[in-house]
Amino acid sequence: MMNSNRREFLVKAGVLTSLTVNLPNLSFSESLSAPRFNMSGYRAPKIDKVRIAVIGLGMRGPGAVDRLSYIEGTEIVALCDKHADRVDKAQRILTRKGLPEAKSYSGENGWKDLLKNEELDLVYICTPWDYHAPMCIEGMKAGAHVACEVPIALSVKDCWELVKVSEQTRKHCMMLENCCYDFFEMLTLNMARQGMFGELVHAEGAYIHDLLDLNFIKNGYDDMWRLKENIRYNGSLYPTHGLGPVAQCLNVNRGDVMTHLVSMSSNDFQMAEKASELAQTDGFYDQFVGKNYRGNMNNTLIRTEKGKTILIQHDVTSPRPYSRLHTLSGTKGFAQKYPSEKIAFGHSFVKDDELKSLYEKYTPELIKYIGEQAKQVGGHGGMDFMMDWRLIDCLRNGLPLDQDVYDAASWSVIYPLSVESVAKKSKTVNIPDFTKGAWKTNTPVDITLNGGGNTPIRPKVETEAKQLNV
């Protein structure tokens, strides 16, 4: 049973306060008085069997339940969603694999009851964005490590609060940035660490994904929450898929730090028109007519303390091919993923056979160990499972996580800061240093197995989430 302190559950009024242009002053960081516990490189005590609660079983949650169920040394002890039928469907993912049913929680406050009642090692959060920071904060206070879908917070204040609580509780707070575990991204990270690109000077990342129709589908995002986000805020609303992988290559928070940004958005050329078009035949969409939608394209330009630059783009409306850019430009070489994987060490890209040789030489040990199994289990081609497996293996072996709370905060804070910059005609906005200077001595986490790699996976069976129609 939990002690009284761990059972205590406090949610201050206004924790889900909406983001406004008048963002909290960055001096909020001063409220974090020294001494601080540095979570960078932190090794939490080993956990033999990781007891997991998955909260949020809409679009992303069932896939997480499916993937986690393959990993030995895990037990999914609780499932939670506002809608009880989603919990029931997720239970079938477990039972059809011969695994025990988890404890079910539902309703608007089901997650609060879950944290009060369950003894947990890891809370895995897949809810709409507004809930991310509050659930992470309360999960850590309840004594669990937390892993949360992106972005982990929507305000500067919440980013600082996540950092503070993680340091105080010494619980990991990891943002589930799956793109950091894609195969080319991992290859280029290892090559950058080996100096193959020389000194990195510039990087580019993006989330360019045509979601126009999905955002307007009634049975897509619960209560149309993601469409409403596109009305509430105008900026880089989903920066971390592009930023996370290149930030790791640039050793952000571990040798360098992002200092300021400028952000500019185009007008909206399609979303308002789409709402009006749908409203002509369905009165449901009247509520979305006449709104100010975020612009089609947002460009956010970031500078680091050591003079590196990062371009982050966001466009989830325009009819164009998917791209995360993933571009690295250094003094000795260049890499780019989209529209195809290319590497150059001069004026021309290397030939296919040389690219294959680079893969053979620089693919990290982590991918060599679990990559093929990850492809079989799935999740965006395997990167989702690789992320989950790596997280569990690190928790079971007491290893530092690849991404810590400072990464979660600094990558996510681009969202509110870009909104502020756009609203003020691309004004320069400072980026907080969530490490409070520790970036100068923090070191990158080794992307080899680093002493772990002993967590097996269960055999693949024909009862995946997608086959259960959840």
Side-chain angles (χ1 to χ4, degrees), residues 369-402:
Y369 183 81
I370 201 69
E372 287 306 312
Q373 294 179 9
K375 290 177 182 178
Q376 293 175 24
V377 174
H380 291 99
M383 64 183 181
D384 292 7
F385 181 76
M386 194 138 47
M387 171 186 69
D388 292 335
W389 180 89
R390 172 70 164 172
L391 167 61
I392 298 301
D393 194 59
C394 287
L395 292 177
R396 296 189 71 231
N397 287 284
L399 301 174
L401 302 191
D402 298 326

PDB file of all heavy atoms in Angstrom, residues 369-402:
ATOM      1  N   TYR A 369      20.875  -4.655 -32.163  1.00  0.00           N
ATOM      2  CA  TYR A 369      20.378  -5.604 -31.171  1.00  0.00           C
ATOM      3  C   TYR A 369      18.868  -5.810 -31.279  1.00  0.00           C
ATOM      4  O   TYR A 369      18.381  -6.938 -31.236  1.00  0.00           O
ATOM      5  CB  TYR A 369      20.723  -5.107 -29.762  1.00  0.00           C
ATOM      6  CG  TYR A 369      20.302  -6.061 -28.670  1.00  0.00           C
ATOM      7  CD1 TYR A 369      21.082  -7.168 -28.343  1.00  0.00           C
ATOM      8  CD2 TYR A 369      19.117  -5.859 -27.965  1.00  0.00           C
ATOM      9  CE1 TYR A 369      20.692  -8.042 -27.346  1.00  0.00           C
ATOM     10  CE2 TYR A 369      18.716  -6.736 -26.970  1.00  0.00           C
ATOM     11  CZ  TYR A 369      19.509  -7.823 -26.657  1.00  0.00           C
ATOM     12  OH  TYR A 369      19.117  -8.692 -25.679  1.00  0.00           O
ATOM     13  N   ILE A 370      18.103  -4.732 -31.447  1.00  0.00           N
ATOM     14  CA  ILE A 370      16.648  -4.828 -31.347  1.00  0.00           C
ATOM     15  C   ILE A 370      15.926  -4.374 -32.609  1.00  0.00           C
ATOM     16  O   ILE A 370      14.712  -4.535 -32.734  1.00  0.00           O
ATOM     17  CB  ILE A 370      16.153  -3.997 -30.131  1.00  0.00           C
ATOM     18  CG1 ILE A 370      14.759  -4.454 -29.676  1.00  0.00           C
ATOM     19  CG2 ILE A 370      16.176  -2.495 -30.437  1.00  0.00           C
ATOM     20  CD1 ILE A 370      14.747  -5.817 -29.065  1.00  0.00           C
ATOM     21  N   GLY A 371      16.656  -3.839 -33.594  1.00  0.00           N
ATOM     22  CA  GLY A 371      16.025  -3.216 -34.756  1.00  0.00           C
ATOM     23  C   GLY A 371      15.118  -4.128 -35.555  1.00  0.00           C
ATOM     24  O   GLY A 371      13.999  -3.752 -35.921  1.00  0.00           O
ATOM     25  N   GLU A 372      15.564  -5.341 -35.863  1.00  0.00           N
ATOM     26  CA  GLU A 372      14.747  -6.240 -36.671  1.00  0.00           C
ATOM     27  C   GLU A 372      13.498  -6.678 -35.921  1.00  0.00           C
ATOM     28  O   GLU A 372      12.417  -6.785 -36.508  1.00  0.00           O
ATOM     29  CB  GLU A 372      15.575  -7.452 -37.110  1.00  0.00           C
ATOM     30  CG  GLU A 372      16.604  -7.136 -38.177  1.00  0.00           C
ATOM     31  CD  GLU A 372      15.994  -6.455 -39.396  1.00  0.00           C
ATOM     32  OE1 GLU A 372      14.951  -6.955 -39.902  1.00  0.00           O
ATOM     33  OE2 GLU A 372      16.540  -5.436 -39.845  1.00  0.00           O
ATOM     34  N   GLN A 373      13.641  -6.939 -34.637  1.00  0.00           N
ATOM     35  CA  GLN A 373      12.472  -7.285 -33.836  1.00  0.00           C
ATOM     36  C   GLN A 373      11.512  -6.101 -33.764  1.00  0.00           C
ATOM     37  O   GLN A 373      10.286  -6.276 -33.775  1.00  0.00           O
ATOM     38  CB  GLN A 373      12.897  -7.710 -32.433  1.00  0.00           C
ATOM     39  CG  GLN A 373      13.707  -8.999 -32.418  1.00  0.00           C
ATOM     40  CD  GLN A 373      14.141  -9.388 -31.022  1.00  0.00           C
ATOM     41  OE1 GLN A 373      13.718  -8.812 -30.044  1.00  0.00           O
ATOM     42  NE2 GLN A 373      14.998 -10.370 -30.927  1.00  0.00           N
ATOM     43  N   ALA A 374      12.060  -4.882 -33.699  1.00  0.00           N
ATOM     44  CA  ALA A 374      11.225  -3.684 -33.659  1.00  0.00           C
ATOM     45  C   ALA A 374      10.391  -3.551 -34.927  1.00  0.00           C
ATOM     46  O   ALA A 374       9.217  -3.194 -34.882  1.00  0.00           O
ATOM     47  CB  ALA A 374      12.090  -2.447 -33.456  1.00  0.00           C
ATOM     48  N   LYS A 375      10.996  -3.861 -36.065  1.00  0.00           N
ATOM     49  CA  LYS A 375      10.258  -3.796 -37.330  1.00  0.00           C
ATOM     50  C   LYS A 375       9.114  -4.802 -37.331  1.00  0.00           C
ATOM     51  O   LYS A 375       8.040  -4.526 -37.874  1.00  0.00           O
ATOM     52  CB  LYS A 375      11.197  -4.076 -38.498  1.00  0.00           C
ATOM     53  CG  LYS A 375      12.210  -2.970 -38.770  1.00  0.00           C
ATOM     54  CD  LYS A 375      13.146  -3.365 -39.905  1.00  0.00           C
ATOM     55  CE  LYS A 375      14.208  -2.299 -40.170  1.00  0.00           C
ATOM     56  NZ  LYS A 375      15.146  -2.707 -41.250  1.00  0.00           N
ATOM     57  N   GLN A 376       9.327  -5.955 -36.731  1.00  0.00           N
ATOM     58  CA  GLN A 376       8.286  -6.980 -36.695  1.00  0.00           C
ATOM     59  C   GLN A 376       7.125  -6.569 -35.795  1.00  0.00           C
ATOM     60  O   GLN A 376       5.958  -6.757 -36.141  1.00  0.00           O
ATOM     61  CB  GLN A 376       8.874  -8.304 -36.218  1.00  0.00           C
ATOM     62  CG  GLN A 376       9.867  -8.922 -37.188  1.00  0.00           C
ATOM     63  CD  GLN A 376      10.516 -10.177 -36.623  1.00  0.00           C
ATOM     64  OE1 GLN A 376       9.948 -10.833 -35.747  1.00  0.00           O
ATOM     65  NE2 GLN A 376      11.698 -10.514 -37.110  1.00  0.00           N
ATOM     66  N   VAL A 377       7.440  -6.006 -34.649  1.00  0.00           N
ATOM     67  CA  VAL A 377       6.376  -5.568 -33.740  1.00  0.00           C
ATOM     68  C   VAL A 377       5.663  -4.362 -34.317  1.00  0.00           C
ATOM     69  O   VAL A 377       4.440  -4.248 -34.271  1.00  0.00           O
ATOM     70  CB  VAL A 377       6.940  -5.250 -32.343  1.00  0.00           C
ATOM     71  CG1 VAL A 377       5.853  -4.647 -31.449  1.00  0.00           C
ATOM     72  CG2 VAL A 377       7.517  -6.513 -31.710  1.00  0.00           C
ATOM     73  N   GLY A 378       6.430  -3.402 -34.857  1.00  0.00           N
ATOM     74  CA  GLY A 378       5.837  -2.282 -35.559  1.00  0.00           C
ATOM     75  C   GLY A 378       5.748  -1.015 -34.735  1.00  0.00           C
ATOM     76  O   GLY A 378       6.325  -0.878 -33.670  1.00  0.00           O
ATOM     77  N   GLY A 379       4.948  -0.092 -35.266  1.00  0.00           N
ATOM     78  CA  GLY A 379       4.839   1.241 -34.688  1.00  0.00           C
ATOM     79  C   GLY A 379       5.698   2.195 -35.475  1.00  0.00           C
ATOM     80  O   GLY A 379       6.873   2.357 -35.185  1.00  0.00           O
ATOM     81  N   HIS A 380       5.108   2.800 -36.546  1.00  0.00           N
ATOM     82  CA  HIS A 380       5.850   3.691 -37.434  1.00  0.00           C
ATOM     83  C   HIS A 380       7.138   3.041 -37.933  1.00  0.00           C
ATOM     84  O   HIS A 380       8.227   3.619 -37.863  1.00  0.00           O
ATOM     85  CB  HIS A 380       6.164   5.024 -36.731  1.00  0.00           C
ATOM     86  CG  HIS A 380       4.945   5.859 -36.484  1.00  0.00           C
ATOM     87  ND1 HIS A 380       4.296   5.891 -35.263  1.00  0.00           N
ATOM     88  CD2 HIS A 380       4.248   6.687 -37.295  1.00  0.00           C
ATOM     89  CE1 HIS A 380       3.252   6.706 -35.340  1.00  0.00           C
ATOM     90  NE2 HIS A 380       3.192   7.196 -36.561  1.00  0.00           N
ATOM     91  N   GLY A 381       7.005   1.833 -38.408  1.00  0.00           N
ATOM     92  CA  GLY A 381       8.145   1.145 -38.992  1.00  0.00           C
ATOM     93  C   GLY A 381       9.097   0.539 -37.991  1.00  0.00           C
ATOM     94  O   GLY A 381      10.157   0.021 -38.378  1.00  0.00           O
ATOM     95  N   GLY A 382       8.750   0.585 -36.711  1.00  0.00           N
ATOM     96  CA  GLY A 382       9.601  -0.013 -35.680  1.00  0.00           C
ATOM     97  C   GLY A 382      10.163   0.979 -34.696  1.00  0.00           C
ATOM     98  O   GLY A 382      10.617   0.585 -33.607  1.00  0.00           O
ATOM     99  N   MET A 383      10.162   2.277 -35.030  1.00  0.00           N
ATOM    100  CA  MET A 383      10.794   3.239 -34.127  1.00  0.00           C
ATOM    101  C   MET A 383      10.015   3.376 -32.814  1.00  0.00           C
ATOM    102  O   MET A 383      10.620   3.618 -31.758  1.00  0.00           O
ATOM    103  CB  MET A 383      10.967   4.607 -34.793  1.00  0.00           C
ATOM    104  CG  MET A 383       9.717   5.334 -35.163  1.00  0.00           C
ATOM    105  SD  MET A 383      10.158   6.881 -36.019  1.00  0.00           S
ATOM    106  CE  MET A 383       8.525   7.572 -36.325  1.00  0.00           C
ATOM    107  N   ASP A 384       8.699   3.189 -32.838  1.00  0.00           N
ATOM    108  CA  ASP A 384       7.915   3.262 -31.604  1.00  0.00           C
ATOM    109  C   ASP A 384       8.325   2.141 -30.647  1.00  0.00           C
ATOM    110  O   ASP A 384       8.524   2.366 -29.452  1.00  0.00           O
ATOM    111  CB  ASP A 384       6.430   3.145 -31.910  1.00  0.00           C
ATOM    112  CG  ASP A 384       5.876   4.335 -32.665  1.00  0.00           C
ATOM    113  OD1 ASP A 384       6.671   5.204 -33.075  1.00  0.00           O
ATOM    114  OD2 ASP A 384       4.649   4.384 -32.855  1.00  0.00           O
ATOM    115  N   PHE A 385       8.427   0.925 -31.194  1.00  0.00           N
ATOM    116  CA  PHE A 385       8.794  -0.190 -30.322  1.00  0.00           C
ATOM    117  C   PHE A 385      10.228  -0.049 -29.826  1.00  0.00           C
ATOM    118  O   PHE A 385      10.522  -0.376 -28.669  1.00  0.00           O
ATOM    119  CB  PHE A 385       8.633  -1.525 -31.040  1.00  0.00           C
ATOM    120  CG  PHE A 385       8.972  -2.694 -30.156  1.00  0.00           C
ATOM    121  CD1 PHE A 385       8.090  -3.117 -29.184  1.00  0.00           C
ATOM    122  CD2 PHE A 385      10.191  -3.351 -30.276  1.00  0.00           C
ATOM    123  CE1 PHE A 385       8.404  -4.183 -28.350  1.00  0.00           C
ATOM    124  CE2 PHE A 385      10.516  -4.410 -29.447  1.00  0.00           C
ATOM    125  CZ  PHE A 385       9.622  -4.826 -28.483  1.00  0.00           C
ATOM    126  N   MET A 386      11.120   0.439 -30.671  1.00  0.00           N
ATOM    127  CA  MET A 386      12.504   0.619 -30.233  1.00  0.00           C
ATOM    128  C   MET A 386      12.567   1.610 -29.068  1.00  0.00           C
ATOM    129  O   MET A 386      13.312   1.414 -28.107  1.00  0.00           O
ATOM    130  CB  MET A 386      13.364   1.114 -31.401  1.00  0.00           C
ATOM    131  CG  MET A 386      14.847   1.016 -31.156  1.00  0.00           C
ATOM    132  SD  MET A 386      15.750   0.406 -32.609  1.00  0.00           S
ATOM    133  CE  MET A 386      15.046   1.403 -33.912  1.00  0.00           C
ATOM    134  N   MET A 387      11.775   2.671 -29.156  1.00  0.00           N
ATOM    135  CA  MET A 387      11.698   3.650 -28.075  1.00  0.00           C
ATOM    136  C   MET A 387      11.189   2.995 -26.794  1.00  0.00           C
ATOM    137  O   MET A 387      11.769   3.175 -25.703  1.00  0.00           O
ATOM    138  CB  MET A 387      10.783   4.795 -28.491  1.00  0.00           C
ATOM    139  CG  MET A 387      10.441   5.786 -27.398  1.00  0.00           C
ATOM    140  SD  MET A 387       9.222   7.003 -27.951  1.00  0.00           S
ATOM    141  CE  MET A 387       7.742   5.945 -28.111  1.00  0.00           C
ATOM    142  N   ASP A 388      10.101   2.230 -26.906  1.00  0.00           N
ATOM    143  CA  ASP A 388       9.526   1.597 -25.718  1.00  0.00           C
ATOM    144  C   ASP A 388      10.471   0.566 -25.113  1.00  0.00           C
ATOM    145  O   ASP A 388      10.653   0.511 -23.891  1.00  0.00           O
ATOM    146  CB  ASP A 388       8.198   0.919 -26.080  1.00  0.00           C
ATOM    147  CG  ASP A 388       7.114   1.911 -26.449  1.00  0.00           C
ATOM    148  OD1 ASP A 388       7.182   3.070 -26.007  1.00  0.00           O
ATOM    149  OD2 ASP A 388       6.182   1.524 -27.192  1.00  0.00           O
ATOM    150  N   TRP A 389      11.066  -0.265 -25.987  1.00  0.00           N
ATOM    151  CA  TRP A 389      11.983  -1.286 -25.478  1.00  0.00           C
ATOM    152  C   TRP A 389      13.166  -0.642 -24.764  1.00  0.00           C
ATOM    153  O   TRP A 389      13.569  -1.074 -23.686  1.00  0.00           O
ATOM    154  CB  TRP A 389      12.482  -2.171 -26.624  1.00  0.00           C
ATOM    155  CG  TRP A 389      13.423  -3.239 -26.136  1.00  0.00           C
ATOM    156  CD1 TRP A 389      13.096  -4.487 -25.703  1.00  0.00           C
ATOM    157  CD2 TRP A 389      14.842  -3.111 -25.983  1.00  0.00           C
ATOM    158  NE1 TRP A 389      14.227  -5.162 -25.297  1.00  0.00           N
ATOM    159  CE2 TRP A 389      15.311  -4.341 -25.452  1.00  0.00           C
ATOM    160  CE3 TRP A 389      15.753  -2.088 -26.236  1.00  0.00           C
ATOM    161  CZ2 TRP A 389      16.656  -4.563 -25.180  1.00  0.00           C
ATOM    162  CZ3 TRP A 389      17.103  -2.310 -25.963  1.00  0.00           C
ATOM    163  CH2 TRP A 389      17.541  -3.542 -25.443  1.00  0.00           C
ATOM    164  N   ARG A 390      13.718   0.405 -25.360  1.00  0.00           N
ATOM    165  CA  ARG A 390      14.871   1.086 -24.776  1.00  0.00           C
ATOM    166  C   ARG A 390      14.510   1.693 -23.418  1.00  0.00           C
ATOM    167  O   ARG A 390      15.280   1.605 -22.462  1.00  0.00           O
ATOM    168  CB  ARG A 390      15.358   2.182 -25.737  1.00  0.00           C
ATOM    169  CG  ARG A 390      16.434   3.088 -25.194  1.00  0.00           C
ATOM    170  CD  ARG A 390      17.763   2.381 -25.034  1.00  0.00           C
ATOM    171  NE  ARG A 390      18.836   3.355 -24.885  1.00  0.00           N
ATOM    172  CZ  ARG A 390      20.083   3.062 -24.570  1.00  0.00           C
ATOM    173  NH1 ARG A 390      20.435   1.813 -24.389  1.00  0.00           N
ATOM    174  NH2 ARG A 390      20.993   4.007 -24.467  1.00  0.00           N
ATOM    175  N   LEU A 391      13.329   2.301 -23.320  1.00  0.00           N
ATOM    176  CA  LEU A 391      12.880   2.878 -22.054  1.00  0.00           C
ATOM    177  C   LEU A 391      12.802   1.805 -20.970  1.00  0.00           C
ATOM    178  O   LEU A 391      13.335   1.988 -19.860  1.00  0.00           O
ATOM    179  CB  LEU A 391      11.512   3.546 -22.254  1.00  0.00           C
ATOM    180  CG  LEU A 391      10.738   3.934 -20.989  1.00  0.00           C
ATOM    181  CD1 LEU A 391      11.520   4.947 -20.161  1.00  0.00           C
ATOM    182  CD2 LEU A 391       9.361   4.481 -21.361  1.00  0.00           C
ATOM    183  N   ILE A 392      12.151   0.691 -21.289  1.00  0.00           N
ATOM    184  CA  ILE A 392      12.005  -0.374 -20.290  1.00  0.00           C
ATOM    185  C   ILE A 392      13.357  -0.972 -19.927  1.00  0.00           C
ATOM    186  O   ILE A 392      13.646  -1.243 -18.747  1.00  0.00           O
ATOM    187  CB  ILE A 392      11.051  -1.469 -20.814  1.00  0.00           C
ATOM    188  CG1 ILE A 392       9.658  -0.892 -21.049  1.00  0.00           C
ATOM    189  CG2 ILE A 392      11.002  -2.641 -19.839  1.00  0.00           C
ATOM    190  CD1 ILE A 392       9.005  -0.285 -19.826  1.00  0.00           C
ATOM    191  N   ASP A 393      14.221  -1.193 -20.912  1.00  0.00           N
ATOM    192  CA  ASP A 393      15.535  -1.771 -20.638  1.00  0.00           C
ATOM    193  C   ASP A 393      16.359  -0.866 -19.729  1.00  0.00           C
ATOM    194  O   ASP A 393      17.060  -1.348 -18.833  1.00  0.00           O
ATOM    195  CB  ASP A 393      16.274  -2.019 -21.955  1.00  0.00           C
ATOM    196  CG  ASP A 393      17.486  -2.920 -21.774  1.00  0.00           C
ATOM    197  OD1 ASP A 393      17.307  -4.062 -21.320  1.00  0.00           O
ATOM    198  OD2 ASP A 393      18.606  -2.476 -22.080  1.00  0.00           O
ATOM    199  N   CYS A 394      16.268   0.440 -19.947  1.00  0.00           N
ATOM    200  CA  CYS A 394      17.006   1.377 -19.084  1.00  0.00           C
ATOM    201  C   CYS A 394      16.453   1.357 -17.663  1.00  0.00           C
ATOM    202  O   CYS A 394      17.219   1.381 -16.689  1.00  0.00           O
ATOM    203  CB  CYS A 394      16.933   2.792 -19.659  1.00  0.00           C
ATOM    204  SG  CYS A 394      17.948   3.050 -21.127  1.00  0.00           S
ATOM    205  N   LEU A 395      15.125   1.313 -17.514  1.00  0.00           N
ATOM    206  CA  LEU A 395      14.536   1.266 -16.180  1.00  0.00           C
ATOM    207  C   LEU A 395      14.914  -0.025 -15.470  1.00  0.00           C
ATOM    208  O   LEU A 395      15.219  -0.020 -14.262  1.00  0.00           O
ATOM    209  CB  LEU A 395      13.014   1.382 -16.273  1.00  0.00           C
ATOM    210  CG  LEU A 395      12.455   2.733 -16.735  1.00  0.00           C
ATOM    211  CD1 LEU A 395      10.935   2.672 -16.847  1.00  0.00           C
ATOM    212  CD2 LEU A 395      12.870   3.859 -15.791  1.00  0.00           C
ATOM    213  N   ARG A 396      14.937  -1.139 -16.189  1.00  0.00           N
ATOM    214  CA  ARG A 396      15.241  -2.424 -15.560  1.00  0.00           C
ATOM    215  C   ARG A 396      16.721  -2.541 -15.188  1.00  0.00           C
ATOM    216  O   ARG A 396      17.081  -3.262 -14.249  1.00  0.00           O
ATOM    217  CB  ARG A 396      14.855  -3.581 -16.493  1.00  0.00           C
ATOM    218  CG  ARG A 396      13.347  -3.649 -16.759  1.00  0.00           C
ATOM    219  CD  ARG A 396      12.963  -4.918 -17.494  1.00  0.00           C
ATOM    220  NE  ARG A 396      13.091  -6.077 -16.626  1.00  0.00           N
ATOM    221  CZ  ARG A 396      13.752  -7.178 -16.932  1.00  0.00           C
ATOM    222  NH1 ARG A 396      14.394  -7.274 -18.093  1.00  0.00           N
ATOM    223  NH2 ARG A 396      13.816  -8.195 -16.090  1.00  0.00           N
ATOM    224  N   ASN A 397      17.582  -1.831 -15.914  1.00  0.00           N
ATOM    225  CA  ASN A 397      19.023  -1.914 -15.657  1.00  0.00           C
ATOM    226  C   ASN A 397      19.591  -0.705 -14.919  1.00  0.00           C
ATOM    227  O   ASN A 397      20.795  -0.618 -14.707  1.00  0.00           O
ATOM    228  CB  ASN A 397      19.766  -2.084 -16.988  1.00  0.00           C
ATOM    229  CG  ASN A 397      19.585  -3.470 -17.584  1.00  0.00           C
ATOM    230  OD1 ASN A 397      20.185  -4.431 -17.135  1.00  0.00           O
ATOM    231  ND2 ASN A 397      18.716  -3.573 -18.584  1.00  0.00           N
ATOM    232  N   GLY A 398      18.732   0.219 -14.527  1.00  0.00           N
ATOM    233  CA  GLY A 398      19.200   1.397 -13.801  1.00  0.00           C
ATOM    234  C   GLY A 398      20.103   2.285 -14.627  1.00  0.00           C
ATOM    235  O   GLY A 398      21.088   2.841 -14.113  1.00  0.00           O
ATOM    236  N   LEU A 399      19.772   2.450 -15.921  1.00  0.00           N
ATOM    237  CA  LEU A 399      20.584   3.252 -16.831  1.00  0.00           C
ATOM    238  C   LEU A 399      19.969   4.628 -17.031  1.00  0.00           C
ATOM    239  O   LEU A 399      18.754   4.801 -16.901  1.00  0.00           O
ATOM    240  CB  LEU A 399      20.706   2.560 -18.189  1.00  0.00           C
ATOM    241  CG  LEU A 399      21.325   1.162 -18.192  1.00  0.00           C
ATOM    242  CD1 LEU A 399      21.235   0.566 -19.585  1.00  0.00           C
ATOM    243  CD2 LEU A 399      22.764   1.226 -17.715  1.00  0.00           C
ATOM    244  N   PRO A 400      20.776   5.619 -17.390  1.00  0.00           N
ATOM    245  CA  PRO A 400      20.215   6.933 -17.750  1.00  0.00           C
ATOM    246  C   PRO A 400      19.322   6.805 -18.984  1.00  0.00           C
ATOM    247  O   PRO A 400      19.613   6.011 -19.883  1.00  0.00           O
ATOM    248  CB  PRO A 400      21.446   7.786 -18.059  1.00  0.00           C
ATOM    249  CG  PRO A 400      22.609   7.062 -17.481  1.00  0.00           C
ATOM    250  CD  PRO A 400      22.249   5.605 -17.504  1.00  0.00           C
ATOM    251  N   LEU A 401      18.255   7.576 -19.022  1.00  0.00           N
ATOM    252  CA  LEU A 401      17.414   7.579 -20.212  1.00  0.00           C
ATOM    253  C   LEU A 401      18.056   8.422 -21.303  1.00  0.00           C
ATOM    254  O   LEU A 401      18.788   9.372 -21.032  1.00  0.00           O
ATOM    255  CB  LEU A 401      16.024   8.132 -19.889  1.00  0.00           C
ATOM    256  CG  LEU A 401      15.227   7.407 -18.802  1.00  0.00           C
ATOM    257  CD1 LEU A 401      13.785   7.924 -18.799  1.00  0.00           C
ATOM    258  CD2 LEU A 401      15.261   5.906 -18.973  1.00  0.00           C
ATOM    259  N   ASP A 402      17.760   8.099 -22.555  1.00  0.00           N
ATOM    260  CA  ASP A 402      18.322   8.851 -23.682  1.00  0.00           C
ATOM    261  C   ASP A 402      17.834  10.292 -23.690  1.00  0.00           C
ATOM    262  O   ASP A 402      18.559  11.192 -24.088  1.00  0.00           O
ATOM    263  CB  ASP A 402      17.934   8.182 -25.002  1.00  0.00           C
ATOM    264  CG  ASP A 402      18.470   6.772 -25.120  1.00  0.00           C
ATOM    265  OD1 ASP A 402      19.569   6.512 -24.604  1.00  0.00           O
ATOM    266  OD2 ASP A 402      17.786   5.934 -25.726  1.00  0.00           O
TER     267      ASP A 402
END
